[in-house]
């Protein structure tokens, strides 16, 4: 009976040799990509133009130098892109890359990112909507106040002109208010007129009239406009000269007695009265 390893004990060593032979039979990632590119009849420049991967990175990957890629994530992306460009299945190459470089990168936990986003203070910009609403309210208030003030002013103007404010009010036609009729002088009034002077009274009854009055020396006593309802009285020791611009609009009294003359409206009359009148001088 021989002493040594049993056939079962020698099998693990045989399996290790088989695995090593398989490893040697499988090409590297870069070698597989290079062979597929050459089989497709493409140059490095063609692959670089088609994939937008720089030529120096393509050259480095084909010799299994992944340092220019900038990390595992970018290396995996370049492997996938180059494999598709040369009609090669990227899955076995990515699995091989994971076996040779420590597997797939660990995914970033979602909870810390969520917590970071949740506790990050939110930066708020200026509230333009509220500012615009406030500005609009201010403008409406100012316009309303202006219109209210304007309405008050127009109403006051209407009242001043004699019209009644309001939509239902009809416009009021301005009419001339007749002057209060002057009572004719009584006998006592005539008797009260000074006997040693000439007294002339002019009253604008129907309309306004211009009047000029001079004494017996020609000195101007009055020169002006009598408005409707106005009365002027002139006295002199012997004579009063009158010029009346609208004789038809006035009533004339001399020494307490009304002068009954048919003066026409708008007519200009030049009159002279003495102490012995009421007859026209």
């Amino acid at each position: 009976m021989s002493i040594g390893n049993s056939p079962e004990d020698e099998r693990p060593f045989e399996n290790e040799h088989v695995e090593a032979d398989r490893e040697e039979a499988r090409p590297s990632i870069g070698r597989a990509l290079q062979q597929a590119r050459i089989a497709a009849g493409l140059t490095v420049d063609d692959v670089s133009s088609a994939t937008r991967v720089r030529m120096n990175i393509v050259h480095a990957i084909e010799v299994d130098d992944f340092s220019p890629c900038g990390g595992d994530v970018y290396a995996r992306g370049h492997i996938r892109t180059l494999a598709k460009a040369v009609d090669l299945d990227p899955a076995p190459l990515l699995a091989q890359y994971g076996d040779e470089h420590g597997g797939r990168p660990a995914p970033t936990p979602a909870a810390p990112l969520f917590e970071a986003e949740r506790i990050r203070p939110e930066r708020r910009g200026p509230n333009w909507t509220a500012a615009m609403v406030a500005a609009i309210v201010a403008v409406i208030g100012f316009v309303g106040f202006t219109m209210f003030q304007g309405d008050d002013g127009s109403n006051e103007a209407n009242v001043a002109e004699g019209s009644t404010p309001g939509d239902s009010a009809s416009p009021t036609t301005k009419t001339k208010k007749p002057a209060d009729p002057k009572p004719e002088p009584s006998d006592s009034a005539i008797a009260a007129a000074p006997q040693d002077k000439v007294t002339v009274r002019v009253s604008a009854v129907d309309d306004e009239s211009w009047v000029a009055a001079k004494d017996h020396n020609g000195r101007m006593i009055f020169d002006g406009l009598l408005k409707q309802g106005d009365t002027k009285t002139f006295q002199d020791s012997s004579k009063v000269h009158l010029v009346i611009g609208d004789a038809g609009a006035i009533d004339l009294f001399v020494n307490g007695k009304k002068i009954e003359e048919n003066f026409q409206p708008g007519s200009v009359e030049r009159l002279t009265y003495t102490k012995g009148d009421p007859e026209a001088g």
Side-chain angles (χ1 to χ4, degrees):
M1 183 175 181
S2 62
I3 299 173
N5 294 331
S6 63
E8 289 79 4
D9 295 334
E10 293 178 355
R11 287 177 186 174
F13 295 100
E14 292 178 359
N15 293 337
E16 291 179 2
H17 289 295
V18 171
E19 291 295 332
D21 292 340
R22 289 179 182 176
E23 291 292 334
E24 291 177 359
R26 183 174 64 176
S28 66
I29 297 173
R31 180 65 176 170
L33 291 173
Q34 185 183 48
Q35 289 177 352
R37 174 179 61 77
I38 294 173
L42 301 173
T43 65
V44 174
D45 191 9
D46 295 335
V47 174
S48 176
S49 300
T51 61
R52 298 183 180 275
V53 178
R54 292 197 299 271
M55 291 180 60
N56 64 318
I57 296 179
V58 177
H59 280 298
I61 291 176
E62 287 188 354
V63 295
D64 296 308
D65 180 9
F66 299 99
S67 58
C69 296
D72 287 345
V73 175
Y74 296 103
R76 291 174 183 275
H78 291 327
I79 291 172
R80 182 180 294 105
T81 301
L82 295 178
K84 291 180 179 180
V86 296
D87 294 328
L88 196 63
D89 185 8
L93 299 179
L94 293 173
Q96 183 177 350
Y97 181 86
D99 294 338
E100 296 174 355
H101 296 82
R104 297 179 60 86
T108 303
L113 288 178
F114 177 76
E115 292 296 331
E117 290 294 330
R118 186 172 61 183
I119 64 175
R120 181 180 300 168
E122 182 180 359
R123 299 181 61 184
R124 295 182 178 270
N127 193 343
W128 295 111
T129 302
M132 291 179 63
V133 170
I136 292 173
V137 171
V139 171
I140 293 175
F142 176 78
V143 172
F145 177 77
T146 304
M147 293 179 64
F148 178 78
Q149 292 294 101
D151 291 342
D152 287 346
S154 62
N155 290 340
E156 290 176 2
N158 290 335
V159 172
E161 293 178 358
S163 61
T164 302
D167 295 338
S168 60
S170 59
T172 303
T173 304
K174 295 176 64 177
T175 57
K176 295 180 180 179
K177 182 179 179 181
D180 295 335
K182 301 294 182 180
E184 293 187 7
S186 60
D187 293 340
S188 60
I190 295 174
Q195 299 297 318
D196 58 342
K197 293 182 180 181
V198 55
T199 302
V200 178
R201 187 179 72 180
V202 181
S203 297
V205 177
D206 296 329
D207 203 348
E208 60 185 17
S209 177
W210 173 78
V211 175
K214 295 181 180 180
D215 62 9
H216 70 282
N217 292 322
R219 184 174 59 87
M220 186 69 69
I221 304 173
F222 176 80
D223 183 6
L225 183 67
L226 292 185
K227 294 183 179 180
Q228 185 179 8
D230 289 349
T231 298
K232 283 290 184 181
T233 301
F234 313 108
Q235 282 187 340
D236 187 71
S237 59
S238 60
K239 190 180 293 185
V240 173
H241 303 278
L242 292 177
V243 178
I244 303 174
D246 185 1
I250 60 97
D251 281 348
L252 186 61
F253 297 88
V254 176
N255 296 323
K257 185 176 181 180
K258 184 176 182 180
I259 303 299
E260 300 291 347
E261 292 285 350
N262 189 20
F263 297 130
Q264 297 299 316
S267 64
V268 178
E269 298 291 338
R270 291 174 172 81
L271 306 170
T272 301
Y273 295 101
T274 64
K275 293 186 292 183
D277 287 322
E279 294 182 356

